[in-house]
């Protein structure tokens, strides 16, 4: 399964970048979201995956009795997911405003700030 | 979307989901759940309510701007993180625990208040974003 | 000494606040400062004559080995006296020249900063503090040249001058640092005490010499860096007098002299100086022939004189050092005089065009006397000190270490041309008949005409009585340069010898030339045609070319297309990571560490792949968003399979919210752009796949490394016992790594505020302009 | 109690932000709280600085969990110096914001976000945990997104889209790097990682991780070829925002580079060479970019890039003296760049333009202000003895000593081109005759505002100029500080011991 997950991660990264490289504002956001998912999954994968053993101490016990999945990557991903949520919602609104103010969906037309004034 | 059935359903759904979200929040220390998920569920509950009943109704139900929940939640989390410095001279974020067992919750400590802060912030943030978008032209 | 240096700076600061006082009729009082300093430095003469040096040192930045160390020896003293003496006259002169000028106070401010910096420069023992003062002279010169800053030509000249001298400053900085690296000290005195072989045999010796030359040649306007100096004549005449003939341009000469005992004597040192000096003196002496602006003539003859000085120092003999020392004084006296008289002419008549000016002796007699004496000194006619200077120069050149004959020819030609230049500037305007237009010319106030007379008189006095300067100034300078001061004997009459014959030839040919060749506008335009190949225009072309390159480079990278930026960054990443991985890692994925694939997993995998591809390739926004939601949900399933219930819950709710958000916004967004550019798509596709592939391979590589779960285990063990929780992930979030969460909710808050502002804020007023 | 002192600046900023949010609609109260709070922050940070200077590196285990298990905050001399500089810039910009940012913007949470940004910076400097650093970076970028878009003008939004995308990309790469490093070592604590990374056998993977960090942080530090977001966006928001960005945002990237390359990936020759090449190209790109710009703020933006090159070059050389130079330059640059963007703001306020072609006549009309502005401008050039000069001695000297002649050439080129650019700017803006610019009806000119607000414009510039002068003339102190920091960085064992020692 690791190989499949690695391929998925690669696919997410690739599709994310591919979408960012398109000129459309909406695709840009989708690309960023895909990329973020890829990064989360990568942490998950590299933290080593364990099937069916959630890191929750069983009832009536103070310590783990059997093996458990490494909780650290999970905590990191949780933080990362929530942060990306904040960033993504901001991004969506930013795109909406930018579209409205600049009146274009084409990123190639948003280059006034790089021109000398 | 605004059918009567949905509206009625959401009227019941809201308190149920809210209760559920609080349940998720409180049990987070023992089972999957916690402030984040709890907050998100509560927010989704309000969002559904607003879809069904209109934004205005949901807002009047809330009575205050959801944005207010953000500083409130932050303050709660911040002070529960700060409490060990103030009360025990321990470092920031050190857990302070009430010794003894409280029914339903298990142990009570500063971490719980911290998680409540998280819950409030998440609700505040999500609702602020969604409400603002819904209102925007 | 430090207070002497600081005085100028303090005065400048005072002027910022009390400028009004010194703008009005009390302006001349400012000249008391240089006068006081002049007297102060005069009193050191007896001590220096005895061969002593005066030292002073203050700590400044000891960790860099930088202190404010000052040494007054013969060389410094000569320069100090010039700086303060001519400074005094220039300050006084200015009070009339810029009488009631709106910004006279600023002018005095810059001048005194300059004077202070120049004093600091020649007194510094520490090369870093020397560099400091060196840069300050460049900056104050920038402000002085650009004093008439509303004129574009002034600004341009100021920029050119700063550009060239600033470049030199960089060389000097690098040079002194290299010297510091070689010698392990920044103190010149300590460098002198080291064994010369250690420095001259060092591998960086040549580098240091080249860098120092770069500094000296730019500052002292040597070919091919000379062109900033004629441009600097845009400055008011007192500035030209003070900075651009008497003092600042000699800083380069000073530098070379100062380092002669440390670095001199090697072939590269001597030959370079001789060659550059010789080229400069001839080139610019010729150029002075083709000017009609008096200041232009003077500027080019100044450059020529600076060339002579370089050339003399380069020969490296006691004779040449003596000649150089004398010539510094000669030049300072006559050139300052000529500049001052030119300034008077300009000020009183409103023109400096030598083809227009004539007969001014009738209206400006005292000025004429000064100018004529200066011209005679410049021509090297006895009994002025100029004659002495020329004789010594010829004498030294005849004994030059290399190609002596050729050099003699060169120096004689230069002197002939300089004679012409001196006459044109000093005699021509006063000769002949006074044109009608200049009839009304009046004498300026005494503060203006007395200074040139004083200087001219000194030219005579020193010429007739050279013993005044022999022991007090010349000998100490020569010994500071490492020459044998005992051999020196200055006298006007050296006997009838080759040198004397050369002198006669010079004077005869020069005077003839003066009567034959009149400066004219025709000549000026004639030489203008050659201008295209001059260093100045070459530099300008380079400048244009560089600016072109700059905008090209900037446009290529900063081209405004976000996708290009992303492309470059990812391309760079792939290149760097790919290079490292190909070079270093080996493929050794151990299949036994991998878990099996169950049917469900395979299904999830396939769904996810399809969803991703659908997201990418669909042409409908809505289906893209929905497909993206599906991607999120399948990730959620992965989390469920692999023991992460909390993650699954969070991912699920966030995914839902994101889709809701998207849908809320989406119908206000436009349809997808239909941009079909196949080449671009293929290019981007290849790049993306390479990137994805790289990450996938990297992931597998990492997975085949041994695993360390120390931290997770600690959390698991202590989760309940210490932190009273059983859901370890949650305990990590609220306790073990609670700080992360604290910040994370802040991030959310900020994002919400941002969204709120973006959607609600409409500016009524603006502090930007669209 | 005493030992926890070091995170007080951090907690205090968070406290300030929360308090400011409660005063959402009361702008005047926000101004007062922000300025007063910034003053307190300066005092706190100074005290922390003093404490660490006297007692050496300090740490706090957040949650009282021993390192490497919990998140640890470490205050070594570098961290507290940067915290202090952040507080100083923060104070200046806070005052400047009160005067210069218009009410409409202030009403939408400018001040809380501003303090969140300062919080992020302070946290990033203090944290000893890699993932925690990521989170601090996120708070920095999200607050900078909000600040850069606040007001939502066209140029702002256009710039923000690029700024946003490239910064998110950098964060993702940073996260990827963390994933790789965690996968290799199972640790996130930087001190702990130092040892664990050294023990990893597959050096190739370590190198890859290092390069990922280089690209992630390099984008934030705006080095070549990752800097594009900076010139595209820094001139678009209000000057106060640019000031805090220009002073600190890229520097936090530099800080992160310094930290990981002196602590975790130590002494890698290949990386050193890459850094050196990138530094040269960064210097060149920034220099030539600044040369051809006409907008004052864009000139400063490109100069930021150019001067980042110095620091990267010094880091590439990786000797104690070179690092000393880097730190000295860092200190100088934070103060000067913050100041210069405020200067651009005051120029804009006076003339409603930042175009050099349109500007002019400042020296004639505002002589004293011009002389004041002269200080940061020429400090930037590094005219000795102003502050930018000193670190060059270390950098050029080490360049020769380590035989990196191209780097030396690049540093000299940068100094020269900065001189030319600033002189040109001076000639255009200050010397040239004032031009008539049509009055903008919706614009509030400097001449129209009250004296108190004028003070709010000028006071911070004076304040930072004085600090710059101090850095220049009191170079000995800064040099002592920098060399102590460099020494600590080069002998990271002491840092590691402090963090991992849980007595």
């Amino acid at each position: 399964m690791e190989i499949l997950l690695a391929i998925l991660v690669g696919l997410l990264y690739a599709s994310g970048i591919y979408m960012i490289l398109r000129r459309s504002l909406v695709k840009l956001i989708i690309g960023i979201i895909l990329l973020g998912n890829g990064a989360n999954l990568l942490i998950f994968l590299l933290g080593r995956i364990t099937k069916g053993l959630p890191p929750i101490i069983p009832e009536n016990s103070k310590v783990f009795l059997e093996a458990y999945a490494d909780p650290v990557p999970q905590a990191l991903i949780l933080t990362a997911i929530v942060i990306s949520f904040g960033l993504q919602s901001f991004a969506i609104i930013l795109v909406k405003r930018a579209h409205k103010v600049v009146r274009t969906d084409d990123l190639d037309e948003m280059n006034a700030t790089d021109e000398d004034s | 979307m605004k059918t009567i059935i949905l509206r009625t359903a959401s009227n019941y759904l809201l308190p149920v989901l809210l209760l559920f979200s609080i349940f998720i929040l409180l049990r987070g220390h023992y089972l999957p759940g916690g402030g984040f998920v709890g907050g998100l569920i509560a927010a989704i509950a309000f969002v559904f309510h607003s879809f069904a009943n209109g934004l205005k109704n949901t807002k009047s139900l809330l009575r205050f701007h959801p944005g207010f929940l953000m500083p409130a939640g932050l303050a709660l989390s911040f002070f529960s993180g700060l409490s060990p410095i103030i009360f025990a001279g321990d470092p920031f974020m050190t857990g302070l625990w009430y010794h003894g067992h409280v029914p339903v919750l298990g142990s009570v400590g500063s971490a719980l208040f911290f998680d409540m802060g998280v819950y409030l912030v998440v609700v505040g943030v999500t609702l602020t974003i969604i409400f603002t978008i819904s209102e925007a032209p | 000494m430090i207070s002497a240096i600081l005085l100028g700076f303090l005065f400048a600061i005072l002027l910022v606040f009390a400028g009004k006082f010194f703008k009005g009729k009390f302006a001349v009082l400012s000249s008391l400062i240089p006068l006081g300093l002049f007297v102060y430095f005069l009193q050191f003469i007896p001590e220096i004559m005895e061969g002593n040096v005066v030292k002073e040192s203050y700590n400044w930045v000891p960790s860099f080995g930088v202190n404010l160390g000052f040494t007054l020896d013969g060389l410094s003293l000569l320069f100090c006296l010039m700086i303060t003496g001519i400074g005094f006259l220039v300050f006084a002169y200015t009070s009339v020249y810029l009488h009631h000028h709106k910004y006279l106070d600023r002018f005095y401010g810059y001048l005194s900063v300059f004077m202070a910096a120049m004093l600091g420069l020649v007194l510094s023992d520490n090369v870093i503090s020397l560099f400091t003062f060196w840069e300050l002279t460049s900056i104050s010169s920038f402000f002085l040249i650009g004093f008439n800053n509303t004129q574009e030509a002034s600004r341009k000249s100021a920029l050119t001058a700063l550009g060239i001298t600033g470049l030199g400053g960089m060389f000097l900085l690098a040079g002194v640092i290299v010297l510091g690296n070689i010698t392990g000290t920044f103190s010149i005195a300590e460098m002198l005490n080291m064994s010369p072989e250690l420095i001259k045999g060092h591998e960086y010796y040549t580098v240091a010499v080249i860098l120092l030359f770069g500094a000296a040649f730019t500052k002292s306007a040597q070919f091919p860096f000379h062109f900033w100096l004629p441009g600097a004549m845009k400055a008011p005449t007192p500035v030209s007098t003070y900075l651009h003939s008497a003092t600042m341009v000699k800083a380069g000469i000073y530098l070379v002299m100062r380092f002669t005992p440390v670095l001199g004597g090697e072939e590269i040192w001597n030959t370079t100086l001789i060659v550059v000096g010789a080229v400069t003196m001839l080139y610019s002496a010729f150029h002075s022939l083709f000017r009609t602006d008096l200041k232009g003539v003077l500027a080019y003859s100044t450059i020529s004189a600076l060339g002579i000085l370089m050339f003399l120092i380069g020969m490296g003999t006691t004779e040449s050092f003596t000649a150089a020392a004398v010539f510094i004084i000669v030049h300072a006296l006559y050139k300052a005089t000529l500049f001052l008289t030119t300034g008077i002419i300009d000020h009183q008549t409103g023109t400096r065009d030598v083809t227009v000016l004539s007969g001014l002796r009738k209206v400006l007699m005292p000025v004429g006397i000064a100018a004529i004496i200066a011209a005679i000194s410049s021509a090297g006619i006895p009994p002025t000190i100029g004659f002495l200077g020329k004789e010594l120069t010829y004498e030294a050149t005849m004994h030059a270490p290399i190609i002596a004959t050729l050099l003699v020819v060169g120096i004689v030609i230069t002197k002939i041309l300089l004679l012409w230049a001196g006459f044109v500037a000093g005699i021509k305007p006063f000769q002949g008949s006074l044109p009608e237009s200049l009839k009304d010319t009046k004498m300026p106030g005494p503060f203006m005409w007395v200074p040139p007379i004083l200087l001219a008189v000194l030219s005579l006095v020193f010429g007739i009585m050279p013993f005044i300067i022999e022991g007090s100034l010349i000998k100490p300078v020569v010994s500071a340069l490492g020459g044998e001061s005992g051999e020196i004997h200055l006298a006007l009459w050296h006997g009838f010898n080759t040198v004397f014959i050369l002198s006669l030839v010079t004077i005869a040919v020069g005077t003839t030339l003066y009567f034959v060749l009149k400066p004219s506008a025709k000549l000026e335009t004639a030489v203008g045609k050659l201008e295209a190949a001059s260093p100045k225009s070459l530099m300008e072309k380079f400048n244009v070319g560089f600016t072109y390159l700059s905008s090209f480079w900037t446009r290529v990278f900063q081209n405004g297309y976000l996708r290009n930026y992303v492309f470059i960054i990812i391309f760079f990443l792939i290149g760097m990571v790919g290079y490292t991985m190909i070079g270093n890692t080996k493929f050794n994925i151990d299949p036994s560490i991998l878990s099996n694939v169950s049917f469900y997993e395979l299904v999830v995998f396939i769904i996810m792949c399809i969803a991703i591809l659908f997201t990418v390739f669909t042409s409908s926004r809505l289906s893209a968003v929905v497909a993206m939601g599906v991607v999120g949900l399948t990730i959620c399933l992965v989390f469920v399979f692999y023991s992460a219930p909390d993650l699954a819950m969070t991912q699920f709710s966030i995914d839902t919210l994101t889709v809701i958000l998207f849908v809320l916004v989406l119908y206000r967004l436009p349809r997808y752009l239909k941009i079909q550019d196949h080449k671009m798509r293929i290019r981007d596709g290849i790049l993306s796949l390479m990137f994805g592939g790289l990450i996938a391979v990297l992931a597998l590589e990492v997975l085949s490394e041994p695993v360390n779960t120390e931290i997770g285990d600690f959390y698991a063990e202590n989760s309940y016992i210490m932190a009273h929780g059983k859901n370890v992930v949650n305990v990590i979030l609220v306790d073990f790594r609670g700080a992360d969460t604290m910040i994370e909710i802040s991030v959310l808050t900020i994002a919400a505020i941002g969204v709120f502002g973006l959607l609600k804020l409409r500016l009524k007023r603006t502090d930007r302009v669209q | 109690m005493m030992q926890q002192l070091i995170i007080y600046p951090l907690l205090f900023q968070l406290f300030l932000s929360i308090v400011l949010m409660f005063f959402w609609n009361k702008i005047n109260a926000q101004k007062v709280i922000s300025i007063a709070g910034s003053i307190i922050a300066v005092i706190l940070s100074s005290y922390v600085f003093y404490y660490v200077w006297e007692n050496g590196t300090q740490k706090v285990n957040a949650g009282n969990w021993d390192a490497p298990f919990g998140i640890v905050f470490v205050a070594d001399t570098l961290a507290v110096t940067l915290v202090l500089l952040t507080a100083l810039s923060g104070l200046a910009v806070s005052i400047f914001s009160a005067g210069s940012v218009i009410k409409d913007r202030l009403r939408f949470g400018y001040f809380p976000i501003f303090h969140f940004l300062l919080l992020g910076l302070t946290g990033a400097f203090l944290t000893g945990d890699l993932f925690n650093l990521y989170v601090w970076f996120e708070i920095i970028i999200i607050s900078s997104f909000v600040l850069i878009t606040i007001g939502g003008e066209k140029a702002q939004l256009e710039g923000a889209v690029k700024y946003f995308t490239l910064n998110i990309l950098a964060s993702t790469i940073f996260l990827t790097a963390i994933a790789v490093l965690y996968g290799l070592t199972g640790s996130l604590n930087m001190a702990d990682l130092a040892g664990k990374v050294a023990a990893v056998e597959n050096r190739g993977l370590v190198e890859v991780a290092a390069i990922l960090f280089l690209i992630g942080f390099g984008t934030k530090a705006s080095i070549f070829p990752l800097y594009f977001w900076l010139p595209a966006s820094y001139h678009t928001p209000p000057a106060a925002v640019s000031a805090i960005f220009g002073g600190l945002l890229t520097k936090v990237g530099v800080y992160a580079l310094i930290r990981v390359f002196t602590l975790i990936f130590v002494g890698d020759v290949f990386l050193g060479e890459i850094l050196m090449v990138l530094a040269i190209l960064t210097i060149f790109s920034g220099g030539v970019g600044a040369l051809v710009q006409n907008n004052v703020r864009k000139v400063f933006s490109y100069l930021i890039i150019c001067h980042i090159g110095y620091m990267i070059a010094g880091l590439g050389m990786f000797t104690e003296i070179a690092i000393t130079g880097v730190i000295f330059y860092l200190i100088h640059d934070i103060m000067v760049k913050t100041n210069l963007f405020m200067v651009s703001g005051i120029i804009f306020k006076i003339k409603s333009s930042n175009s050099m072609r349109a500007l002019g006549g400042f020296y004639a009309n505002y002589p004293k202000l011009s002389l004041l502005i002269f200080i940061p401008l020429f400090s930037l050039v590094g005219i000795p003895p102003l502050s930018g000069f000193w670190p060059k001695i270390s950098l050029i000297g080490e360049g020769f000593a380590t035989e990196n002649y191209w780097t030396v050439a690049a540093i000299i080129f940068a100094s020269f081109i900065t001189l030319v650019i600033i002189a040109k700017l001076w000639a255009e803006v200050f010397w040239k005759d004032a031009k008539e610019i049509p009055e903008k009806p919706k614009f509030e000119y400097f001449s129209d505002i009250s004296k108190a607000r004028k003070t709010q414009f000028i006071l911070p510039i004076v304040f930072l100029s004085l600090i710059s002068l101090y850095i220049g003339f009191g170079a000995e102190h800064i040099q002592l500080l920098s060399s102590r920091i460099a020494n600590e960085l080069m002998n990271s064992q002491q840092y590691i011991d402090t963090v991992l020692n849980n007595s």
Side-chain angles (χ1 to χ4, degrees), chain D residues 294 351-362 428-429 432-438:
Chain D
N294 172 51
K351 283 282 191 178
S352 81
S353 170
N354 261 340
S355 154
M356 288 208 277
R357 276 192 283 273
L359 292 166
F362 270 74
E428 290 281 311
V429 178
K432 194 174 65 191
D433 258 337
K435 290 209 173 136
E436 281 301 316
I437 304 177

Side-chain angles (χ1 to χ4, degrees), chain C residues 657-726:
Chain C
L657 274 173
T658 312
V659 173
I660 290 177
L661 261 180
F662 244 119
V663 171
L664 276 176
V665 172
L666 204 63
Y667 67 90
R668 298 194 182 96
L669 286 178
R671 292 179 183 289
Y672 266 176
L673 276 177
K674 292 260 190 292
I675 301 158
Q676 296 295 349
D677 184 343
H678 268 290
K679 266 189 197 160
M680 205 63 100
R681 286 176 155 229
I682 290 167
R683 188 195 74 167
D684 293 347
I686 292 173
L687 185 90
S688 309
L689 284 177
M690 280 171 72
F691 181 55
L694 202 66
I695 297 288
V697 172
L698 179 62
L700 291 175
E701 286 272 350
V702 174
L703 281 176
S704 61
E705 293 293 311
V707 61
N708 183 334
T709 55
E710 188 191 340
I711 303 220
D713 292 342
F714 173 87
Y715 290 159
E717 272 162 36
N718 294 299
S719 177
Y720 189 73
I721 297 162
M722 310 265 290
H724 309 265
K726 288 189 169 177

Side-chain angles (χ1 to χ4, degrees), chain A residues 1-2 10 14 18 21-22 48 50-53 55-57 61 68 74 79 81-82 89 97 108 111 114, chain C residues 558 560 563 565 595 597 601 641-643 651 661 670 684 688 691-692 702 705 713 726 728-729 744 758 762:
Chain A
M1 187 61 194
E2 276 86 350
Y18 183 79
L21 285 173
R22 311 268 54 78
R48 305 304 191 278
T50 313
K51 213 176 270 186
L53 298 164
I56 294 170
I57 299 173
S61 166
Y68 51 88
Q74 296 190 19
T79 308
I81 291 179
V82 177
S89 38
R97 282 296 295 161
D108 279 13
N111 47 18
D114 274 327
Chain C
Q558 197 73 31
R563 58 196 162 87
Y565 303 162
S595 54
V597 183
E601 288 164 351
F641 289 151
Y642 292 100
S643 338
Q651 173 83 25
L661 261 180
D684 293 347
S688 309
F691 181 55
V702 174
E705 293 293 311
D713 292 342
K726 288 189 169 177
V728 186
V729 175
E744 181 192 346
L758 264 178
R762 299 286 178 277

Side-chain angles (χ1 to χ4, degrees), chain C residues 60-63 106 110 150 163 204 553 558 580 705 710 715 735 737 740 763-764 767-768 770, chain D residues 65 69 104-105 129 132 153 196 202 211 228 285 297 348 363 397 400 405 416 433 442 473 476 479:
Chain C
W60 188 14
V61 192
S63 12
R106 288 185 194 172
Y110 306 145
T150 50
Y204 286 154
W553 180 277
Q558 197 73 31
T580 322
E705 293 293 311
E710 188 191 340
Y715 290 159
D735 199 335
R737 296 185 66 88
D740 282 349
L763 293 180
K764 287 192 211 81
D767 50 2
R768 301 284 310 148
Q770 301 289 338
Chain D
W65 301 107
F69 305 111
D104 288 342
R105 287 193 166 98
D129 185 282
N132 196 241
E153 295 184 36
K196 287 192 172 147
N202 191 338
I211 284 169
F228 310 109
S285 303
R297 277 217 256 172
F348 192 82
Y363 198 19
F400 274 110
Y405 304 116
F416 177 62
D433 258 337
K442 277 169 84 184
F473 286 90
E476 176 66 12
Q479 175 66 8

